[in-house]
């Protein structure tokens, strides 16, 4: 009987030791390991149109370490230094998790047409080397300017929409400098420079509805004058040019309607959405938005096809 009790004690002891070893191994294997360091930045910078032999505005590129361990940058090479000019205080810099640094890039085209380049960033982080694509269009003095894309963004917390064709704003929005905004995937074509027989688009900004803010666009000169006189709205600039719709909402040949919709004050702040999609227009009306513009369905302007 004593031998049986001793044997049972040995079995229980062995089971206890095995359980401790198993628990320890599970704890070690299941422990949270820091993710490797990884650099994040916009994959593409589009400068739009630039007169040849002149320099664009300086655009800022933000490089952030989104990983869990430090990353050291070793090189940043510009593949086309004839048409682009860059500066980055990168070499030998170590970014801790969550830390960022800024570089700058300028477009200075020497020829007409589409011009490409790359910034190649090397580091000891995941995915190195990483590439930022650069693109811009050079045009000669006196030649018709090419079109630009007006990109739409959405702020989920505010449920506001915003559209811009300004390269620096697009880059900052994509970089997260203006927090909370993401691309919707929607865009339409505009003219970045004045040309004959097109309308100037006024842009206004208001902070009267804080913490929310709002932008308003109009190609209609009388409407621009009315809003300009409203102290709640600050006139920013003529931001692009576009074809005008006639009073019946018809667009010229080779253009497409841009519909303007108003949120009718939902969320305690005004917001407008500009879209070429009839599907999106119908969806917004279902959500209580009101169509605005010329003609029976509210065409505010006409984008180039």
């Amino acid at each position: 009987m004593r031998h049986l009790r001793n044997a049972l004690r040995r079995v229980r002891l062995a089971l206890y030791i095995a359980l401790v070893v198993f628990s320890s191994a599970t704890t070690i294997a299941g422990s949270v390991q820091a993710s490797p360091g990884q650099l994040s930045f916009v994959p593409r910078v589009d400068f739009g149109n630039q007169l040849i032999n002149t320099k664009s505005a300086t655009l800022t590129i933000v490089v952030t370490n989104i990983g869990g361990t430090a990353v050291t940058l070793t090189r940043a090479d510009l593949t086309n230094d004839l048409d682009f000019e860059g500066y980055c205080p990168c070499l030998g810099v170590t970014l801790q998790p969550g830390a960022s640094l800024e570089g700058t890039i300028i477009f200075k085209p020497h020829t007409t047409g589409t011009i490409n380049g790359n910034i190649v960033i090397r580091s000891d982080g995941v995915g190195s080397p990483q590439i930022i694509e650069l693109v811009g269009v050079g045009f000669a003095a006196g030649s018709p300017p090419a079109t630009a894309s007006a990109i739409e963004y959405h702020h989920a917390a505010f449920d506001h929409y915003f559209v811009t064709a300004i390269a620096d704003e697009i880059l900052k929005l994509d970089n997260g400098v203006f927090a909370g905004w993401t691309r919707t995937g929607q865009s339409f074509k505009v003219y970045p420079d004045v040309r004959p027989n097109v309308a100037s688009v006024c842009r206004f900004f208001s902070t009267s509805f804080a913490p929310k803010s709002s932008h308003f666009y109009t190609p209609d000169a009388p409407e621009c004058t009315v809003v300009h006189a409203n102290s709640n709205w600050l006139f920013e600039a003529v931001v692009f040019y576009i074809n005008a719709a006639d009073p019946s909402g018809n667009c010229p040949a080779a253009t497409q309607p841009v519909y303007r919709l108003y949120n009718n004050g939902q969320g305690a702040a005004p917001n407008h959405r500009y879209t070429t999609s009839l599907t999106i227009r119908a969806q917004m009306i279902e959500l209580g938005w009101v169509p605005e513009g010329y003609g029976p369905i509210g065409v505010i302007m006409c984008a180039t096809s």
Side-chain angles (χ1 to χ4, degrees):
M1 194 68 174
R2 184 183 302 164
H3 294 300
L4 180 58
R5 285 197 297 269
N6 289 339
L8 288 173
R9 289 193 191 97
R10 286 194 295 269
V11 169
R12 285 197 294 268
L13 181 60
L15 287 173
Y16 174 77
I17 293 171
L19 180 60
V20 170
V21 171
F22 175 78
S23 299
S24 300
T26 303
T27 301
I28 294 170
S31 63
V32 177
Q33 301 294 319
S35 61
Q38 183 176 357
L39 299 180
S40 176
F41 38 75
V42 291
R44 177 182 169 92
V45 177
D46 189 337
F47 284 89
N49 308 288
Q50 183 68 30
L51 181 66
I52 60 172
N53 299 317
T54 65
K55 290 185 177 183
S56 72
T58 301
L59 301 187
T60 300
I61 297 174
V62 179
V63 179
T64 303
N65 179 6
I66 60 172
T69 58
V71 175
T72 299
L73 289 82
T74 54
R75 292 189 64 176
D77 297 316
L78 186 59
T79 63
N80 178 357
D81 58 7
L82 177 65
D83 297 295
F84 298 95
E85 179 180 301
Y87 168 73
C88 182
C90 308
L91 305 187
V93 172
T94 297
L95 291 179
Q96 299 299 322
S100 300
L101 61 77
E102 295 182 354
T104 58
I105 190 72
I106 292 172
F107 181 42
K108 48 174 189 175
H110 289 77
T111 59
T112 59
T114 301
I115 299 172
N116 299 96
N118 289 319
I119 301 174
V120 183
I121 297 178
R122 292 178 169 83
S123 71
D124 60 0
V126 172
S128 178
Q130 295 170 271
I131 294 175
I132 302 174
E133 296 180 12
L134 307 174
V135 63
V137 178
F139 69 92
S143 65
T147 59
S149 292
I151 308 297
E152 185 186 54
Y153 293 82
H154 181 243
H155 195 295
F158 294 164
D159 194 21
H160 274 200
Y161 293 89
F162 174 67
V163 64
T164 180
I166 300 172
D168 184 58
E169 282 186 341
I170 291 170
L171 183 62
K172 287 177 178 176
L173 285 159
D174 290 342
N175 268 323
V177 175
F178 305 129
W181 295 94
T182 57
R183 291 194 184 210
T184 65
Q186 300 296 313
S187 65
F188 55 89
K189 294 292 187 180
V190 301
Y191 299 113
D193 303 289
V194 66
R195 58 185 298 161
N197 304 316
V198 298
S200 303
V201 176
C202 299
R203 189 172 93 178
F204 296 88
F205 177 66
S206 179
T207 57
S208 299
F209 316 96
K212 299 179 181 180
S213 59
S214 188
H215 283 86
F216 177 75
Y217 296 80
T218 179
D220 183 87
E223 188 175 49
C224 182
T225 300
V226 169
V227 180
H228 205 297
N230 188 326
S231 60
N232 289 326
W233 293 91
L234 171 67
F235 174 71
E236 291 189 318
V238 170
V239 287
F240 56 78
Y241 303 84
I242 202 164
N243 297 283
D246 69 19
S248 298
N250 299 312
C251 285
T255 67
Q256 61 182 146
V258 177
Y259 309 103
R260 188 173 78 187
L261 298 118
Y262 167 54
N263 72 347
N264 207 20
Q266 296 178 69
N271 186 229
H272 290 79
R273 189 173 188 184
Y274 305 81
T275 180
T276 58
S277 169
L278 280 171
T279 300
I280 289 176
R281 176 185 177 275
Q283 290 171 346
M284 303 312 292
I285 292 173
E286 283 290 323
L287 293 172
W289 289 54
V290 179
E292 295 182 339
Y294 307 104
I297 61 173
V299 177
I300 191 61
M301 49 194 167
C302 306
T304 58
S305 300

